[in-house]
Amino acid sequence: MQNVQLGSIPETQVMIMLKKPTYEELEKRVQELESAELERGLIEKEHLMVLEVLQLINETERLDDLLGSILHRLKHWSGCEAVAIRLKDGPDFPYFVTSGFPDEFVKMERYLCSYKEDGEVERDRDGNPLLECMCGNILCGRFDPSKNFFTADGSFWSNCTTRLLATTTDADRQARTRNRCNSSGYESVALIPLRSAGETFGLIQLNDHREGRFSPDLIAMYRRVADSIAGFLAKRQAQEALRKSEMHLRILIDTLPDLVWLKDPDGVYLSCNARFERFFGAREAEIVGKTDYDFVDKELADFFREKDRAAMAAGKPCVNEEEITFPDDGHHELLETIKAPIYDREGRIAGVLGIARDITPRKQAELMLKESEAQLRLLIKHTPAAIAMFDREMRYLAVSSRWISDYRLGNRDIIGRSHYEVFPEIPDHWKEVHRRGMNGEVSRVDEECFKRMDGTIQWLLWEVRPWYKSDNSVGGIVILTEDITNRKQAEAARNKLHDLLVQARKMESVGRLAGGVAHDLNNLLSPILGYSDMLLEDLGRNDNRRESVNEILNAGNRARDLVRQLLAFSRKQTLEFKAVDINETIEGFRSLLRRTIPEDIVIKIVSLPGVLPVMADVGQMEQVIMNLAVNAADAMRDGGALTIETTITDLDESYAETHPDVSPGQYVMLAISDTGHGMDEETRKQIFEPFFSTKGERGTGLGLATVYGIVKQHAGNIWVYSEPGNGTTFKIYLPIAGKAPAKEDTDKKAATDLKGSETILLVEDNEQVRRLAETVLTRRGYTIISAQSSEEAQGTLALHHGPLHLLLTDVVMPGLNGRELYEKLSSEQPSLKVLYMSGYTDNVIAHRGVLDEGVHFIQKPFSNQTLAEKVRKALDEA
């Protein structure tokens, strides 16, 4: 031991040396020495492990053997019971090698991805594979270094998986864990990623049933060793991939039926395939390092060299045809040669790649094909059927003269043009048939409608068949068509005529039935009406039985009106025929129409001047016009236009052929049209049938049946034209009369005064109108309660204790309008009648529903007589 002079040591240090150390200081010193010794041991162990891995890589050729050896060393170094290596394979990271794990465990844990029933990998929203469990976290970089079971560089380790699972959640562990390691009894588990150049391509897994097998220092050492292994493996995998790639490329080139070669910029051969060896009659080893001048004559060698320079100068592939003779057997081939420049990493031209293919058979086939195509086009052109032949792009290859004429193509040259360019109106479902034909399917349709761009309709019978090339692939399709438009039109005409004939016969039969029923009803109604009149004559004016008899008489009169309608439909009523000017009849009827038809409907009368007379019953014709006008108004609830026209027309033989009961000749046509909602075909077929109504419970179904009967009794015809949403037109054809119509006496008898004793509530905000109405009605015996607004009317009525029979109200008023006022009052007095009045001429009134059938309405300004008639009518209505 060296002697130390105390004088040479500082006093403070001497004091420390002389001081006796404590137990804690000694224990800390021992721990520091042990830690340093452990660190030196780990470093030495790490160096040894890396050297062993490097030695294995240098001594082992096959990757499988290398990984098996590394796995064996890992198990030895770690002392763990089970070790495994996962490597990337497509989207998954299956076990590549394992040691110490039970077979059932390896089977269940081999793959990390979730798979669908069809075998596809399930992916997240970004398209990444869903890698499960803790292994998936490490491989995907999902880790939280704040958790003590993750390291900062992305490893995982646990010395007690039971405690880990009990004290953490799936969110803490970054993913849903399968827990198979723990359920198999493994308490110590470590997962070390294999990363190289920033890419994770696998991991090392260490498992042990014993607890406490790892420490932070051990995990850090395993992580560094894993980086070394990853770097060695990445390099080995790259070398293996390059070797396989070169081998595959060589196999590919040698198996190509084409000639392949590579030259440097000076024309010196660098490589060639077996097919090219036959061209020079030499092996590749004898060709490499030489030029074309060593194997062929100067003229051909100059030609080859010229093409090499052209490709390098152009900087892109060049194509040419060459006819050569093979030295090995002397046969000739026509080659299509492609020469392309190749470049080094600095972008400089490094030589020329040549590829040559024998095109002798193709050239011969092309020549034969041209001859056969010419013959086929000639055959198709002169065939009597409509045929067209197309390639796979639906371009015309051949077309028959019948096709040109059927589709009205004239002198257009369509060969080579697209079928869809020639006929842009072709529907998508036909294009789908064409696509199926390209796939080898045969399609046929016996009849189909085709709408041309000019709006014309063409009916076709067609068939689509594929045609095949010499290699048995589909070269395109052939379309055969037959234009059956004329046949379809003839069928439609026959069917329409048949339907019309059936309808006419049905109407005739129904008419006979209606006439018989009407005759019997008339016989029954005569005594009913007669005896009712007698009873009224016998009963005194104050006899309370008069009301019952009046009800019987009223019912009989309504029944009589119904019988008259049936007689009109059956054409058995007695008519007074005379020569009539239809224009004068319409003009005389105009004012009545205007009063009957709502004001928001415009009435247009278009009369042909000097129209010839017809033999008609004026009253019956007025009924026809009124019925049709009222029906038209019902179809235009929101307003519209009612048009009445007259003209002279000639119905010829062709028209008579398609319209039963029509005789050719000259007729006066009376047309009544509306702009309403129209009718569908099913409704049009039934409108003239008795008791069929489009108005529901509001209609009797006899209006149009009566019109039909009257027209037929005048030896005329009636036809209806209507489409949903496009309005309706009724056309009546009446035969021309032989003499001019006689002038009628149009003087009207003055209407009698109409009186009453009922109580009327009059509500009108215009004082002059209100006073006039109150005066007129008071003078006729009515009791009037007058108000200028709905609010005043309700207040006045509250003080009235007698009966109230009628509400006479303006429609549009401040506060409650007339309709709302009536609804409020009628809820308290259900028997209350209403008569609306208004001066509006637009469709405001119609929108409030007051012009609906059955609603009483008077248009301002009105006469005294009209007001009295309207009030009496409203009060008398049942």
Side-chain angles (χ1 to χ4, degrees), residues 559-574:
R560 181 184 58 194
D561 294 338
L562 180 61
V563 169
R564 287 174 180 172
Q565 288 181 305
L566 288 174
L567 285 172
F569 172 71
S570 64
R571 292 168 267 170
K572 290 185 178 182
Q573 62 183 340
T574 302

Side-chain angles (χ1 to χ4, degrees), residues 54-124:
L54 179 60
Q55 183 178 1
L56 289 173
I57 290 175
N58 291 331
E59 295 176 352
T60 311
E61 292 186 1
R62 296 181 69 252
L63 182 62
D64 294 358
D65 297 337
L66 174 62
L67 290 175
S69 299
I70 291 176
L71 190 71
H72 178 72
R73 293 295 194 279
L74 285 172
K75 190 174 182 181
H76 171 71
W77 295 331
S78 66
C80 290
E81 298 170 333
V83 294
I85 295 178
R86 291 185 182 273
L87 291 181
K88 182 173 180 58
D89 183 14
D92 210 336
F93 289 81
Y95 282 133
F96 199 84
V97 286
T98 64
S99 177
F101 287 106
D103 292 341
E104 185 64 24
F105 180 91
V106 174
K107 180 180 179 182
M108 297 179 67
E109 286 292 288
R110 178 173 298 277
Y111 298 102
L112 297 178
C113 285
S114 296
Y115 290 86
K116 304 177 184 176
E117 292 182 359
D118 59 1
E120 288 293 323
V121 171
E122 291 189 359
R123 299 178 182 272
D124 60 19

Side-chain angles (χ1 to χ4, degrees), residues 639-794:
L642 172 66
T643 304
I644 303 176
E645 305 173 70
T646 61
T647 188
I648 298 294
T649 186
D650 289 315
L651 303 182
D652 56 15
E653 296 285 350
S654 61
Y655 184 88
E657 288 177 359
T658 58
H659 294 76
D661 297 338
V662 173
S663 299
Q666 196 174 43
Y667 290 79
V668 172
M669 184 196 74
L670 169 62
I672 300 178
S673 306
D674 65 63
T675 58
H677 48 68
M679 295 178 283
D680 57 25
E681 183 179 0
E682 192 63 30
T683 303
R684 292 198 305 271
K685 289 180 179 180
Q686 304 177 72
I687 56 172
F688 294 124
E689 296 179 6
F691 310 115
F692 173 80
S693 175
T694 60
K695 303 176 186 177
E697 296 180 355
R698 297 186 299 108
T700 63
L702 284 173
L704 288 176
T706 302
V707 168
Y708 181 86
I710 293 173
V711 172
K712 287 299 181 180
Q713 202 165 6
H714 282 72
N717 291 279
I718 181 169
W719 306 101
V720 60
Y721 303 86
S722 184
E723 295 290 341
N726 292 320
T728 301
T729 296
F730 286 91
K731 290 185 176 181
I732 299 170
Y733 297 94
L734 300 172
I736 300 296
K739 59 179 180 179
K743 295 294 182 179
E744 276 195 69
D745 182 7
T746 58
D747 291 342
K748 302 288 184 179
K749 292 183 179 181
T752 59
D753 290 337
L754 301 172
K755 297 182 179 181
S757 59
E758 292 88 342
T759 301
I760 300 174
L761 174 60
L762 171 61
V763 186
E764 170 59 56
D765 57 346
N766 185 288
E767 184 177 358
Q768 292 179 336
V769 175
R770 186 173 68 254
R771 285 183 178 179
L772 173 63
E774 184 175 356
T775 300
V776 170
L777 297 175
T778 301
R779 293 181 63 180
R780 282 168 171 74
Y782 298 101
T783 300
I784 305 300
I785 302 173
S786 181
Q788 65 177 357
S789 67
S790 297
E791 288 73 12
E792 182 181 342
Q794 294 178 79

